[in-house]
């Protein structure tokens, strides 16, 4: 499984627009093949910080997702609304049975 984490620091002036486009992106992405989880959260300590969590079945599914024109447009829109660079981290994970 592939796990993607990221965040976007917005401002009070850009938060509403950022939330709107993030929710549209999350809902669209959940319909893509290989998407196991796709979510956006508001940081409880800093409501202007949005946090993203994604789970993908494999790297190929994530690469297809990143190639979707709407995904690229989303990333560009978030960068334009963010007050600082937005980190993105990608991990390969194996579930652990307890």
């Amino acid at each position: 499984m592939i796990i993607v984490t990221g965040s976007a620091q917005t401002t009070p002036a850009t938060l509403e627009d950022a939330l709107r486009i993030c929710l549209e992106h999350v809902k669209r992405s959940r319909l893509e093949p290989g998407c196991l989880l796709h979510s956006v959260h508001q940081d409880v300590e800093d409501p202007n910080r949005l946090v993203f969590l994604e789970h993908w079945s494999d790297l190929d599914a994530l690469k297809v997702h990143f190639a979707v024109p709407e995904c690229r447009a989303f990333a560009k829109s978030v960068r334009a609304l963010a007050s600082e660079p937005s980190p993105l981290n990608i991990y390969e994970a194996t579930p652990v049975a307890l």
Side-chain angles (χ1 to χ4, degrees), residues 18-80:
L19 282 170
R20 180 182 48 76
I21 66 168
C22 288
L23 286 172
E24 289 171 1
H25 177 67
V26 164
K27 289 175 182 178
R28 183 178 50 250
S29 298
R30 288 176 181 160
L31 301 174
E32 294 180 28
C35 182
L36 306 173
L37 174 97
H38 206 293
S39 58
V40 60
H41 307 272
Q42 227 170 338
D43 187 322
V44 296
E45 295 180 306
D46 179 359
N48 292 311
R49 182 173 180 260
L50 304 179
V51 179
F52 306 96
L53 178 61
E54 305 173 27
H55 292 181
W56 293 88
S57 59
D58 54 48
L59 190 55
D60 288 338
L62 179 61
K63 287 179 181 179
V64 169
H65 169 67
F66 284 158
V68 171
E70 292 85 357
C71 182
R72 290 194 307 266
F74 162 76
K76 185 177 178 179
S77 295
V78 167
R79 278 193 298 274

